[in-house]
Each structure stands twice: as C-alpha cells, then as structure tokens.
Amino acid sequence: MSEISETASGGVVWQSSPPGSIYDYIRVASFSIGPDGLVEQWSRRAVDLFGVTAEEARGKDPVEAFMPADLRERGHRRVKEILDGKEWTGLVPFRMPGEDRPRGIAEMYVMPSETQTGERAALCIVVDVRALRRIETDLAASQAIFGQSPFGFLLFGTDLTVKRANRRFATVFGGEADDHRGRTVHDYLGHAEADRMTTALRRVLETGESVTDFQIIGAAPGARDRRHWSINLYRVHSGSGRPIGVAGLGIDVTRRHNAAREAANARRNLALLNEAGARIGNSLDLEATARELLDVAVPGFCDLASVDLYQGLLTGDEAPPGRWGNSHDVGYGAGSAELRRVAFASAVSDTPLRTDEGHGPDSGCRGPVPIEVGAVHRYPFNSPCAGALRTGRVRTVPGGEGDLVQSTLIVPMVAHDTLVGLVQFSRAKGSEPFGERDRALAVELAARAAVCIDNARLYRREHERALILQRSLLPPGDPEAAGLDIACRYLPGTAATEVGGDWFDVIELPGHRTALVIGDVMGRGLRAAVAMGELRTAVRTLAQLDLEPAEVLSHLDEIARGLGAPIGAQQSRSHKSRGPELSEVYLATCVYAVYDPVTRRCTFANAGHLPPVLVEPGEPALLLDVPPGMPLGVGGEPFEEVEVELPEGALLALYTDGLVESRDHPLDEGLQAFRRALTDPDRAALEDVCDRVLTSLDTGHGEDDIALLMARIQGLPGEAVGDWQLPREPRSVGRARELARAQLAAWDLDALVDTVELLVSELVTNALRYGEGEIRLRLLRDRTLVCEVWDAGLVQPRRRRARDTDEGGRGLQLVGLLSSSWGSRRTPRGKTVWFELALPDGEGAAEPTVEQLLSMF
C-alpha cells in the first residue's frame, strides 16, 4: 500500500516502501541537458544537493557553473561526447556558483536522450559521494560492533522475534548466528524468566525508555549450572525516527554475582559474629545463654534452630558433662546420655523441630517425633547427633522427602575440651544450602555459646555452694529471745547475681539478754560468703565472753584485718617467682546491739553500717543516732556505744543496704520509704510488717542480698524479776536461800526449790570467800530460770577438779552438774556468776546420776 511522505526539501511524494529506506539516506539528484549543452530541467533533490534553485540553474552551462576552472576543458569534451550519443559514469568535483574551491565530489551517471524534435540531449543522475562514504563507514562500524562484540547482542523486531544475533550470542546458545533469526526469548529461558523478559521488551518498545542491568537467570543449552545475565535494552529507530525494534546487550555476570554473594555472606557472617559477641553471654544463666544464641542465629543464619544441653549439667552434677573423643566414656561421651531441649526458634513455623533421633527416656518410641522445649531425651548410639557428640565434629544431614527442612548442621558445643551440649541449625526448603563458610560460622557460634554456657555452669556451681554456705550460717527457723518478739527475712540475690556477704544473728546472752547482729561483707561470691561465715563465728564467740558491744567490734576489726594478712610462708615459698602474696582484703559493716529485757535498755555499736530504725508506739519511724564508725577491716579507730531505753511495744529494725538501695533510686529515698513502711498505727503482727516492707519497697531485688531483722520490745514484767542486795557477812548465805525459796514459791516453781537453794548457797558462799563488796542476788523467770550473784571482785571463778583429800573445791562442779548451763561475766563494777535451769514444764537437763555425784569426792 502506497504511503505519502515528505522529502527533505519539503516536497510530497507517493511511496510504497516504508519510511527509513535506503533512499532516505542516499542523496540522489537529477537534471537534464539540452542540445545546446545548457541545463533544461533541475530537480528538487538537485536543489538540496547543490544549493542552487531551478531558476538559477536553468539555461546555464553546467560545466562553467559547477566545475572548477582547471577541469572545464575536459568537462566540455565529455558533454560533447555525451551529446554525440555516448554514456558516461565517473566522479566529478563540483563547486557552488560564486565559489572558487570545490565543495564536494559527485558520482555522476550521464545517459544520452532525445528531445521531441529528435535532437540529441542528456539526462544526468548525481549521487553525493560523501553520503555514500558515510553509509559505508556506518555499516562497517555497525558490523564491527555487532559482529565482533565480546557480549551477546540481539536485535528484536517489533514482533519481539530475533532479527539478528551476533557470534558471541551464538557461541553461548549454540549454532550459527543466522540460526537464531525468528526465535523468541521463550526458546532460551524458563517460562517465568521468559515472561519477565517479554514484558520488559514490550515496555521498552512501547515507551522508548531504556532498561539497564535487567537481571535474568537461566542455563545455557546442555549446561546444568544456572547462569546470571545482566541485560541492557533500548529501542532502535530508523532514519526517519520510526521504531523498528529493540536491541539487547547481554553480559554474563555469574562470577560477579557469586563474588557479590560471597562478599554479602562474609559481611553477614562478620555481622553475625559481632552480634554474637554483643548478645551471647550477657547473663550467667544456662537457658538464657542458649536462647541468646538462637536469637542471633534465627533468621539471620538459618530458619530453624534448637539447643540441647546435658541434663547432668543442668542439675548441677560435679563431674563435667563429657570430653569429646573419649571412647571409654559410655555416658556423656558416647552421646547417649540424657539431654534437655532448652531452646528452640523458628522463622517458618512454631512447631518444634521434628527428628528421627529423639526419644523420651522411658517411651522407647521410634519414628519422627517433635521434641518440646524442656523435654528430656536421648539420641540413639548410631544416630548422626550421637556421632557428632562422640567425635566433636560437625555433621550435615539432608532433609527427607516432604520435610520442611532442606538440610541441618549438627554442631557439638565444646568449651575447654568439655562437651556441654548440641546445637542444630536448619534451613527450610527454598533457602540457600549451607556452604563451607556456613559450617565455619556455625562452629564459631556454637563455640562462643559453649564457653558462655560453661562459664555459667561454673558460676552456678560456685553460686550454689556460696548460697548453701550462706544459708547454713543464718539462724535456723524463727529465733527466740527473752523479752523480744522477733521476725526476720533473708532474700538472696537471684541466679543472675553473685551471692553476697549479708548475715544476721540472734544470740542469747546470760541474764536473758540478747545480742542482735546484722552485717554485710563487701564483695560477692564464695570468698565473701566464707568471710561472712568467719566473722559470724567470731561474733558468736565474742558474744559468749559477754564483752561490751564496742569491744566486740574492736575484736572483729582485728579479725577482719587478719583475713587480709600475708599468706603463710609455706605458701609463699611455693610461689618464689612472685614472692609473698596477700589474700583478698575484706571489709565489712556491722551493727552489734545488746538488749536487756529487765531494764529494756539496748546498747548499740556500729561499724560503718546503716543506722537502726526505731518505731515507738504512736510515733513515726526514726533513724537512731548511732555513730557509724569505720567498717571492719580498716582499723585504727575506736568504736562508740550508745545506750537507748526502748519503750514497751516499740519496734526495732536492723537491715542491709539491699533493702533500701538500688540503681533506680538513691539511698535517702530508700530510707524514707522504709521508714514510711514501718510506721504501724494498727500494731500489726511482726510477720505481717516484714511482708509489707518487702512488698511495698522498690528493692530492686536480684541486684543484692536483702537481710531484715525486726524485734518488738516486750520487757520482762516486774513480777518476773527478783532482785536483792545482801551484806557481806556469813548470814547472807542463809538469807539468800530464804529469798530464793520464797520467790520460787511465788512463781509456783516448788520443784526447783531444793536445787536452787543448793546452788545459790554455793555461789553466795564463793562471793563471800573470794569476792569483794556487797553481794547482789537476782532471779529472772522467762522461758528458763536464771540466777545471778553479783559482787565487786574482778577475779573470775575457775572450775577445777578437787583431789580426794581436799575439803573444798567442789562447788562449781556441783553447779555444772545440776544446772543447764553456768558461767561468769564482767560487769562495770565487778563480776557476775550465773546458772540457768529449765522450768519444770520445759525440757530440762537430766538429773545427775549417783556416779556423777560421787565423782566429785
């Protein structure tokens, strides 16, 4: 079908060939010469070629007008020959009228013709040689680029079929270049990739927008490996601007893709290792460390993962869980010991990882079973997991038919040659399979977690030992004391923190007095707990000497400093290269208070500890002004005492800093909150007060141990005390017996009269014989009966065994046999000798046998 197009000169022509034909590029012009050798006709293309209009050209001699002067003679000769009937073809330089130099070279074809009258004429067809040379150059360049390009090159027509392919493309996809004409992208790519490519080609053809670095994946004919290509597409136009197809330039980027993937994997692995270093091991908890490992691995490294730890490790067995490679170890090392699934994570399913190796310890089941977190199981001896545990080597297990898992890495967790468990990393179907880099990363992740888990195991063992030691040194049950209602609480730090050196104690002293002690050894761990035990034992020993509170703390200070003294010479000699060493320096704070229920007076001494809190009935809680002193172990400073009279029903609280101090609030705020919680207008039960304090305070429990010792004052009533002054004369012995007999009768303790009369007689007699000054007799009735004899002498009584010939010296032996306990203590004005008897309805001491009585004589 003919079309109408417009020439470069503006003329309209009919044409059947589509726009962009060769004539659009080649400049062809024509003109005619009459019998007189002058121009008769001048075409429009001649106007374009020579730049001369028809009016200017007609009637001119073409030789004179367009040829240089030196060629005119030859030109006239040629024109004459043509008019004589000869044809001529050749190259002719031409110039524009009015110019001296040639403008170009024209290839001219001149053929003779005749006019209507039969005269000779000529028709000239002229082609611009420069246009021909440009076309030849362009074709040669196009052929060189297309044919010699090292990249695959395709030209798609408007119907998206291949119009031309270069040699490089044919080398990859087979055959000769011409064999690919008429094919489509579906002949080279899979269905999905071919559809993507077709869509891209159609979009480029319709919009004219180029596409660069279009990634497609496929395989060359006869090859099994998948290749990656980068395709650049752009629309191709004819000379008139009409789209005639799409050109595609393809580059094989498989190596670049693999290198980029390896670099991305390396960056991912480094990022994972960096994240593992930051996140794994933040807690000293076995299960938490396992969960931290999986938080790092899923989904950054794998799709599913699980951690199994040896059950013995979790239950605190002393023996290490196992050493890989020891074939004689038929327990842990054989891979058949009990394990517990402690952690599981999945990015694709919440269902526990199924395995054909997990079996309950008693079920005896076979076949794939899911292992729940917390379940205890075993691996059969011949299973890959058991083999990995025996050898300490990583194993790769492919997934089964219809299984969610594509492959699994089984990695033993080994720390310091100690096998602690097993971690399994799995990737689901469709994920990239594990490579060598992945195996190395899995081993590194498991090793880091194993070290943290082993550290947690060692810490847990030390923590439990310290906790056992610490609890064993605390008073058992609810302590009892004369004239005091006592309640106490002790909360150790959680498993995430180390055991501290907090302790408290309630010590019964002679005369129904009570020593209340609370202290805190600075530092944590087993060493702090041991130091606390040593100081607690020392306090109990010093308390039995009935020393004043300030003296007790002075002796404790010496003991604490002794704990940091140089290690013995024998140990120093074993470290000659390092010389003498010092053990850890121990510092401790302590409050020591002695309460007398008869006078309801309490004497305090403080070594750097928080002050006691006193709540009087109907009054707000207040901090007692007890000079704090220096902590134990510092030395060089004396301790002061403060004596406070405590009203009946008052509440006394001793505590450690874990109760009132935490990271969230300063000490002053904690003390204020503690005082508010202790204010008790309703006189609630002491146990309830303790619970209210612990629940109402923001203690930040877990950061430190908490010790709380509370006592409500209940002094001995006046009718429970008998107190008399006796002159220093012999008849005071009989007077003492009479007073004791009468007091016991008033207390309905007739069963004790004979024993008390005998023992009181012995003590008063000794006071008269060896003591000084007035004698004071005091009887105290509470849970037991206490008898005290006071005098001004400083010489302490000493029990000795009398010889057969001795007439005396058996009094204190008799006191020791007939009483539950006896002793003596210093007083500000002398000494006190005392004995204690159980009440008839209590569990008293057994009556002395005849042999025991005769042994004194």
Side-chain angles (χ1 to χ4, degrees):
M1 181 176 180
S2 299
E3 298 179 4
I4 299 177
S5 64
E6 190 172 309
T7 65
S9 61
V12 178
V13 299
W14 293 96
Q15 64 181 37
S16 297
S17 60
S21 66
I22 189 66
Y23 297 105
D24 293 332
Y25 298 95
I26 301 176
R27 302 176 67 181
V28 180
S30 64
F31 62 89
S32 62
I33 300 175
D36 55 359
L38 303 178
V39 175
E40 288 187 341
Q41 294 179 340
W42 192 259
S43 68
R44 291 183 177 179
R45 286 191 178 268
V47 175
D48 297 335
L49 177 62
F50 295 103
V52 178
T53 63
E55 290 78 8
E56 295 174 339
R58 279 196 296 267
K60 288 186 178 181
D61 185 343
V63 175
E64 295 292 334
F66 301 106
M67 293 186 68
D70 56 339
L71 297 177
R72 289 173 185 170
E73 182 179 355
R74 185 187 302 174
H76 285 298
R77 189 167 56 250
R78 295 295 183 191
V79 171
K80 184 178 180 180
E81 291 176 353
I82 293 170
L83 292 178
D84 288 340
K86 291 184 179 181
E87 294 184 358
W88 182 80
T89 301
L91 297 177
V92 178
F94 69 89
R95 66 176 181 85
M96 303 306 296
E99 296 180 358
D100 296 333
R101 302 181 62 183
R103 167 174 279 191
I105 297 176
E107 185 173 5
M108 186 176 295
Y109 175 48
V110 185
M111 60 191 75
S113 64
E114 293 183 356
T115 63
Q116 293 180 347
T117 59
E119 292 179 296
R120 299 283 180 90
L123 178 62
C124 300
I125 298 176
V126 183
V127 177
D128 189 349
V129 174
R130 293 175 302 175
L132 290 177
R133 294 296 177 265
R134 281 198 303 270
I135 292 174
E136 290 176 355
T137 302
D138 291 345
L139 287 176
S142 175
Q143 181 62 29
I145 295 173
F146 192 83
Q148 301 174 22
S149 172
F151 310 119
F153 203 104
L154 286 177
L155 179 63
F156 295 92
T158 55
D159 57 355
L160 303 186
T161 61
V162 176
K163 299 303 182 184
R164 189 173 182 185
N166 70 344
R167 187 182 307 157
R168 175 60 181 167
F169 183 86
T171 301
V172 175
F173 287 91
E176 298 295 331
D178 292 339
D179 297 338
H180 295 275
R181 296 179 185 272
R183 294 183 180 181
T184 66
V185 292
H186 285 83
D187 296 320
Y188 306 106
L189 302 174
H191 182 71
E193 290 293 275
D195 287 346
R196 289 180 59 241
M197 183 70 176
T198 301
T199 301
L201 287 170
R202 186 172 289 111
R203 184 170 64 252
V204 171
L205 186 62
E206 293 173 354
T207 65
E209 296 179 358
S210 301
V211 174
T212 59
D213 198 20
F214 182 74
Q215 299 286 328
I216 60 174
I217 302 174
R224 302 181 62 180
D225 58 326
R226 292 158 60 89
R227 311 295 294 177
H228 294 259
W229 288 287
S230 174
I231 307 296
N232 297 321
L233 302 175
Y234 58 93
R235 192 168 67 180
V236 179
H237 304 84
S238 66
S240 62
R242 180 179 64 88
I244 61 174
V246 177
L249 179 66
I251 304 172
D252 189 338
V253 294
T254 304
R255 290 185 179 179
R256 187 178 72 187
H257 176 81
N258 292 340
R261 184 179 62 185
E262 288 293 322
N265 289 340
R267 288 193 298 270
R268 181 202 64 185
N269 293 353
L270 289 175
L272 278 174
L273 289 177
N274 183 59
E275 185 181 6
R279 297 180 60 182
I280 298 177
N282 289 326
S283 66
L284 290 172
D285 181 81
L286 299 175
E287 293 85 350
T289 301
R291 290 192 296 269
E292 290 166 353
L293 168 62
L294 299 194
D295 289 342
V296 172
V298 179
F301 176 67
C302 62
D303 301 314
L304 303 95
S306 64
V307 176
D308 297 321
L309 298 181
Y310 278 116
Q311 178 70 355
L313 182 145
L314 296 170
T315 56
D317 286 353
E318 289 294 326
R323 296 183 181 275
W324 58 269
N326 293 346
S327 59
H328 64 277
D329 186 352
V330 296
Y332 297 114
S336 58
E338 290 185 350
L339 297 104
R340 185 192 302 174
R341 176 66 51 85
V342 296
F344 170 78
S346 172
V348 295
S349 172
D350 293 333
T351 304
L353 188 63
R354 299 176 66 89
T355 175
D356 59 353
E357 304 173 274
H359 307 284
D362 302 315
S363 62
C365 62
R366 294 293 185 268
V369 293
I371 301 176
E372 299 285 347
V373 174
V376 178
H377 62 99
R378 296 176 184 268
Y379 289 119
F381 183 83
N382 293 323
S383 65
C385 288
L389 290 173
R390 284 195 303 273
T391 61
R393 296 178 181 175
V394 182
R395 295 205 176 189
T396 303
V397 179
E401 289 291 335
D403 196 355
L404 172 68
V405 173
Q406 178 193 73
S407 63
T408 299
L409 287 177
I410 303 174
V411 187
M413 304 178 72
V414 181
H416 311 117
D417 291 337
T418 298
L419 187 63
V420 298
L422 192 73
V423 58
Q424 299 183 57
F425 302 106
S426 300
R427 287 182 178 173
K429 293 291 178 62
S431 297
E432 185 178 355
F434 288 115
E436 288 301 319
R437 289 182 181 270
D438 296 323
R439 288 171 62 94
L441 177 61
V443 171
E444 179 66 22
L445 290 175
R448 293 193 179 196
V451 170
C452 295
I453 287 175
D454 193 49
N455 290 340
R457 175 182 70 87
L458 297 175
Y459 167 78
R460 173 181 288 186
R461 184 175 64 184
E462 179 178 344
H463 183 273
E464 290 176 351
R465 289 176 177 176
L467 193 59
I468 292 173
L469 173 63
Q470 191 175 38
R471 287 176 173 171
S472 67
L473 296 175
L474 297 174
D478 294 327
E480 296 182 354
L484 293 176
D485 180 17
I486 294 179
C488 53
R489 293 290 186 273
Y490 175 74
L491 299 178
T494 63
T497 59
E498 293 188 71
V499 172
D502 293 13
W503 94 92
F504 66 90
D505 209 346
V506 178
I507 307 171
E508 293 187 56
L509 300 178
H512 285 318
R513 294 171 306 133
T514 302
L516 302 176
V517 188
I518 195 159
D520 184 3
V521 176
M522 298 180 187
R524 298 185 180 278
L526 190 59
R527 289 180 175 270
V530 170
M532 177 270 287
E534 293 179 335
L535 291 178
R536 179 181 179 272
T537 302
V539 169
R540 281 192 158 266
T541 302
L542 294 170
Q544 296 306 317
L545 297 177
D546 212 353
L547 302 176
E548 296 297 323
E551 292 184 80
V552 171
L553 293 186
S554 296
H555 287 293
L556 283 179
D557 181 55
E558 293 291 337
I559 293 172
R561 283 191 290 166
L563 295 177
I567 297 176
Q570 182 176 358
Q571 184 171 352
S572 297
R573 284 195 298 269
S574 64
H575 301 282
K576 292 181 180 179
S577 61
R578 294 180 292 178
E581 296 183 357
L582 291 179
S583 63
E584 185 175 350
V585 175
Y586 292 100
L587 297 178
T589 62
C590 180
V591 169
Y592 185 86
V594 176
Y595 171 68
D596 188 343
V598 178
T599 61
R600 291 201 310 274
R601 300 187 72 83
C602 189
T603 305
F604 297 91
N606 189 353
H609 202 79
L610 295 173
V613 176
L614 178 65
V615 186
E616 298 185 7
E619 299 291 335
L622 58 89
L623 299 175
L624 289 179
D625 187 13
V626 180
M630 300 298 292
L632 302 177
V634 175
E637 293 293 331
F639 297 97
E640 298 183 43
E641 292 181 359
V642 172
E643 188 176 62
V644 180
E645 183 173 352
L646 306 178
E648 185 75 17
L651 185 65
L652 180 66
L654 305 177
Y655 53 96
T656 57
D657 56 358
L659 182 68
V660 295
E661 187 177 22
S662 71
R663 303 174 187 172
D664 301 328
H665 56 75
L667 178 61
D668 291 343
E669 292 183 7
L671 287 173
Q672 291 178 4
F674 181 41
R675 292 167 57 189
R676 288 194 299 269
L678 283 178
T679 301
D680 184 19
D682 301 328
R683 284 184 57 83
L686 201 55
E687 294 290 338
D688 295 337
V689 176
C690 285
D691 294 336
R692 183 177 63 198
V693 167
L694 294 179
T695 55
S696 62
L697 292 186
D698 181 16
T699 60
H701 178 48
E703 299 176 8
D704 197 0
D705 295 351
I706 295 175
L708 175 62
L709 177 61
M710 303 184 69
R712 178 162 282 151
I713 306 304
Q714 297 174 350
L716 287 180
E719 60 270 16
V721 179
D723 195 350
W724 305 275
Q725 296 287 341
L726 299 174
R728 188 172 186 79
E729 53 187 31
R731 64 178 182 176
S732 293
V733 177
R735 179 59 179 164
R737 289 197 297 266
E738 293 175 1
L739 293 172
R741 185 187 312 113
Q743 187 64 65
L744 292 178
W747 288 340
D748 294 329
L749 296 178
D750 296 331
L752 298 179
V753 169
D754 293 339
T755 303
V756 171
E757 281 188 343
L758 176 60
L759 299 185
V760 165
S761 175
E762 287 292 336
L763 294 186
V764 174
T765 300
N766 284 343
L768 289 172
R769 181 176 299 177
Y770 305 109
E772 299 176 7
E774 275 192 334
I775 299 172
R776 181 182 177 187
L777 173 64
R778 190 167 75 168
L779 293 179
L780 307 176
R781 180 184 184 274
D782 192 66
R783 292 178 293 114
T784 61
L785 178 68
V786 174
C787 177
E788 298 176 331
V789 176
W790 305 42
D791 70 79
L794 298 178
V795 178
Q796 297 290 324
R798 181 173 59 87
R799 182 178 177 179
R800 63 184 179 87
R801 178 174 293 276
R803 296 189 295 270
D804 294 343
T805 58
D806 290 342
E807 296 181 359
R810 296 179 177 86
L812 292 182
Q813 284 185 277
L814 189 62
V815 173
L817 281 173
L818 297 180
S819 65
S820 300
S821 59
W822 77 278
S824 67
R825 68 178 187 273
R826 294 182 301 169
T827 63
R829 295 184 178 87
K831 67 176 180 299
T832 299
V833 183
W834 58 271
F835 66 84
E836 184 175 3
L837 292 174
L839 298 182
D841 56 349
E843 296 181 0
E847 291 290 334
T849 63
V850 175
E851 288 77 8
Q852 288 176 322
L853 293 174
L854 292 176
S855 66
M856 295 187 296
F857 300 94

